[in-house]
Amino acid sequence: MKKVFSLVASLALVASFAFAQSPADTYVYMTFGGVDTLDPEGAYDTASGTILENVYETLYSYDGDSITEYSPALATDYVISEGGKVYTYTLRDGVSFHSGNSMSCADVEYSFERMLVMNDASSGVWFQAEAFLGNHGENANDDDTITWDRIDSAIECANDSTVVFTLPKVDPAFFVKIMYTNASIIDSAWAIENGEWDGTEATWRDWVGMDPREGYLHDNMSGTGAYKLVSWDGTDVIAEAFDGYWGGAAPIKNVQIRVVDEEATRILALQNGDADRIGLNDFAVLESQVRGLDGVTIHED
């Protein structure tokens, strides 16, 4: 079992956990601090992002660990025009959501419009709203100049496989802003069927500032990523490889993200082979108890 250690600068809570030997086809990551929400619109924390970026996808993503190189994901190409104010993305063909629905530009349009419509106060949507709407990141409850027409015209489908983003002014960071997890592409038909915003002008005002933790997407997921959600009990996440993934079979069948707030318990699990990766927030503990352990690779953030 390959062991990985992550040093994370944050505070741990207190809890306990019992372990079973993890099977060879299962990757176990033990960390501290639980997932806030599984809804991309509302997730603004590291724990939520860890599962979101494996279940959902954005149009482009970072290339491995690089912060300056990018890889096509749900889009295969893009063109910038009109002096930097228009971004046209060509979408990948043959992409399926975990529900079995096929992805099209309608899903991309819905995902971005939903994000801009809701833009609840606890989310990170403000920095995308700045780019799309040219304001200070507020939603329509706080800025009465935001209209449906402004939101709707910012994201348009030229056809089923081409989406056009039109910005009110140049934003050099726009390309990177829409790689953040809250710009993940949602299965619109599945979301609407399960009671989320219906994507129309007639109802958009009802969803402005809506807390995503009250919706179906808070604890249910249908993305296009390499892994699909099996369960989330409010604490631990279990996911499994998605057989229909456009990028090919995932190298590991099952993934478990376990919240184990007691640091000593996480270290013991690593030592015993019950965890493949752990998070640790104490540099002194790293030096005294972890560094030098046989087979352990240390990644310091």
Side-chain angles (χ1 to χ4, degrees):
M1 177 178 291
K2 183 180 179 181
K3 300 174 183 177
V4 181
F5 169 84
S6 291
L7 180 65
V8 183
S10 58
L11 296 176
L13 305 175
V14 178
S16 60
F17 198 84
F19 308 105
Q21 185 72 27
S22 58
D25 65 351
T26 300
Y27 185 85
V28 178
Y29 173 35
M30 292 183 182
T31 185
F32 50 91
V35 171
D36 178 38
T37 181
L38 299 180
D39 188 331
E41 188 279 334
Y44 201 29
D45 61 291
T46 300
S48 300
T50 298
I51 185 64
L52 287 171
E53 66 186 7
N54 286 285
V55 175
Y56 287 107
E57 294 177 294
T58 51
L59 299 181
Y60 269 71
S61 63
Y62 288 101
D63 189 1
D65 293 332
S66 175
I67 59 172
T68 58
E69 301 293 330
Y70 315 108
S71 294
L74 295 183
T76 57
D77 193 14
Y78 70 99
V79 175
I80 305 174
S81 59
E82 300 296 323
K85 294 195 292 186
V86 175
Y87 286 69
T88 302
Y89 284 78
T90 301
L91 304 179
R92 188 178 298 277
D93 292 329
V95 175
S96 295
F97 287 105
H98 301 157
S99 67
N101 293 333
S102 296
M103 186 200 75
S104 73
C105 186
D107 300 294
V108 178
E109 184 176 26
Y110 175 86
S111 300
F112 279 94
E113 289 182 351
R114 177 180 182 270
M115 179 179 69
L116 295 176
V117 165
M118 290 176 64
N119 191 7
D120 72 289
S122 65
S123 75
V125 175
W126 61 269
F127 63 85
Q128 282 123 341
E130 284 182 334
F132 278 110
L133 303 176
N135 65 357
H136 293 98
E138 299 93 345
N139 62 35
N141 286 338
D142 300 319
D143 182 349
D144 58 13
T145 69
I146 298 175
T147 63
W148 168 251
D149 286 343
R150 285 183 65 188
I151 293 174
D152 188 43
S153 62
I155 305 105
E156 299 282 356
C157 290
N159 51 55
D160 283 348
S161 59
T162 307
V163 64
V164 181
F165 301 119
T166 302
L167 311 182
K169 60 183 179 181
V170 175
D171 184 345
F174 176 76
F175 178 81
V176 175
K177 286 180 177 181
I178 64 169
M179 292 198 301
Y180 190 62
T181 51
N182 58 16
S184 298
I185 305 308
I186 293 169
D187 183 345
S188 61
W190 169 86
I192 294 167
E193 181 180 321
N194 285 288
E196 291 288 343
W197 175 52
D198 65 8
T200 70
E201 179 180 5
T203 62
W204 80 280
R205 286 287 329 187
D206 298 334
W207 287 82
V208 175
M210 179 74 72
D211 185 347
R213 294 155 197 83
E214 298 177 0
Y216 187 76
L217 267 63
H218 170 62
D219 49 14
N220 294 276
M221 307 175 83
S222 176
T224 59
Y227 289 90
K228 62 181 182 180
L229 180 70
V230 174
S231 67
W232 176 47
D233 61 5
T235 303
D236 299 336
V237 175
I238 298 176
E240 65 181 12
F242 174 43
D243 291 338
Y245 182 52
W246 63 265
I252 300 172
K253 177 65 176 175
N254 304 295
V255 173
Q256 298 178 14
I257 301 175
R258 300 179 179 177
V259 177
V260 182
D261 292 324
E262 181 58 52
E263 190 169 70
T265 307
R266 297 195 303 272
I267 294 172
L268 182 62
L270 183 70
Q271 294 171 333
N272 291 342
D274 295 323
D276 298 281
R277 178 185 179 117
I278 66 170
L280 190 64
N281 64 307
D282 191 323
F283 188 80
V285 171
L286 162 67
E287 293 297 327
S288 64
Q289 299 185 42
V290 178
R291 193 180 297 279
L293 287 177
D294 185 41
V296 172
T297 300
I298 298 174
H299 297 277
E300 300 181 60
D301 298 326

